[in-house]
Amino acid sequence: MNYDTILSTTNNGITTITVNRPNKLNALNKATIGELHSAFKAAGKDKDTKVIIITGSGEKAFVAGADISEFADFDIKNAEKLAAEGQKMLFDYIENLSTPVIAAVNGFALGGGLELAMACHFRVASTNAKMGLPEVSLGVIPGYGGTQRLPQLVGKGRAMEMVMTAGMIDANKALEYGLVNHVTSQEELIALAEKIAGKIMRNSSVAIKGAIKAINANYKDGIDGYNTEIKQFGKCFGTEDFKEGTTAFLEKRKAEFPGK
């Protein structure tokens, strides 16, 4: 499929989605959000895709925020609609995708860009990465899940400070906070993400799908995460992946899982 604002390629079980608006520091606009949704949906349905990596084109930015010019004149009703539709179409969609998603944060990840990275299952960053939610400096708050996911990742106090000061943190501070899992050079960033993806791909896609559901359940109001874990654990026992995994273990050989 051809896109105007993103790139999507699949090799060796990994689909790499790249936000491709370098002249705008890869800022999110309505078209980009729509294309990202389409790309993630296609990758999620693709049986050959075991892991998805998302990154930004160029050396300056992952995604430097949302395209402010698109909503600067919105009223209350339009703003609420923008946030609700964006969260449903992209940010919540990524979080709940059954295919693992790694954000490879190269450069600036600000506002909607950091919210995009936080919606992914985990993050790796280049040493030149800068992250923050500067929305209050514009008289607004994060609207794509930032006020919810940031406290989950770094804790309430740190999230309050980051949002209230509208400041940026560097890659090492993000690592200290637990906002990213690993930091490496920009040249090695995609290679590191692919290395981690390779480790993921050795395991059962079916079991990973269940694990994502169980982990996410702990962060949803009104959902008993322990009960979700029990149900997903039980479901594994009815799968070909479980039969293959346990048989391979008992036979002291490498498991060859059937697939997605």
Side-chain angles (χ1 to χ4, degrees):
M1 186 173 179
N2 293 321
Y3 300 105
D4 294 324
T5 65
I6 68 171
L7 304 171
S8 183
T9 59
T10 302
N11 292 294
N12 300 319
I14 302 171
T15 291
T16 301
I17 299 171
T18 305
V19 182
N20 189 35
R21 301 183 74 210
N23 59 323
K24 297 288 187 179
L25 293 180
N26 301 322
L28 295 178
N29 60 10
K30 189 173 182 180
T32 307
I33 288 174
E35 290 192 343
L36 283 171
H37 170 79
S38 296
F40 275 104
K41 185 175 182 180
K45 290 182 176 181
D46 179 17
K47 292 184 177 180
D48 294 329
T49 295
K50 306 299 183 185
V51 179
I52 301 168
I53 297 171
I54 180 168
T55 193
S57 62
E59 299 180 352
K60 294 182 178 180
F62 171 73
V63 171
D67 196 333
I68 297 168
S69 63
E70 281 198 338
F71 58 81
D73 60 349
F74 275 17
D75 59 16
I76 294 172
K77 184 176 181 180
N78 286 331
E80 288 182 356
K81 183 179 179 182
L82 176 76
E85 290 181 350
Q87 287 195 38
K88 181 179 180 181
M89 179 181 290
L90 184 60
F91 300 86
D92 291 349
Y93 189 86
I94 291 172
E95 181 178 71
N96 294 303
L97 203 63
S98 60
T99 304
V101 182
I102 304 171
V105 181
N106 55 315
F108 292 110
L110 304 175
L114 181 54
E115 289 173 305
L116 176 61
M118 291 192 295
C120 300
H121 297 127
F122 59 92
R123 291 142 294 284
V124 297
S126 58
T127 51
N128 69 322
K130 302 284 187 182
M131 296 166 230
L133 296 175
E135 284 88 345
V136 297
S137 68
L138 302 175
V140 70
I141 71 168
Y144 286 142
T147 64
Q148 306 304 299
R149 293 190 178 98
L150 187 61
Q152 292 170 4
L153 291 165
V154 307
K156 182 179 178 181
R158 284 172 172 164
M160 286 284 195
E161 181 179 357
M162 287 180 65
V163 171
M164 290 180 189
T165 63
M168 293 186 292
I169 60 172
D170 62 19
N172 288 328
K173 184 64 72 174
L175 181 64
E176 177 188 330
Y177 281 7
L179 185 54
V180 302
N181 290 26
H182 305 277
V183 174
T184 188
S185 67
Q186 191 164 47
E187 294 76 16
E188 295 295 323
L189 181 63
I190 297 301
L192 174 60
E194 290 175 344
K195 180 180 180 181
I196 297 170
K199 293 180 179 180
I200 292 171
M201 289 190 290
R202 299 186 195 126
N203 304 311
S204 163
S205 294
V206 175
I208 287 170
K209 177 180 179 180
I212 290 171
K213 285 185 177 180
I215 293 169
N216 280 344
N218 185 53
Y219 297 96
K220 298 184 185 301
D221 288 340
I223 301 295
D224 184 341
Y226 290 100
N227 187 55
T228 301
E229 179 184 89
I230 289 167
K231 289 185 178 297
Q232 292 300 322
F233 176 78
K235 284 178 68 175
C236 290
F237 281 70
T239 67
E240 292 299 318
D241 277 24
F242 174 76
K243 294 177 184 178
E244 168 60 15
T246 52
T247 301
F249 177 82
L250 295 172
E251 294 178 354
K252 298 181 179 179
R253 61 175 175 81
K254 183 181 177 180
E256 295 291 339
F257 293 108
K260 221 167 182 178

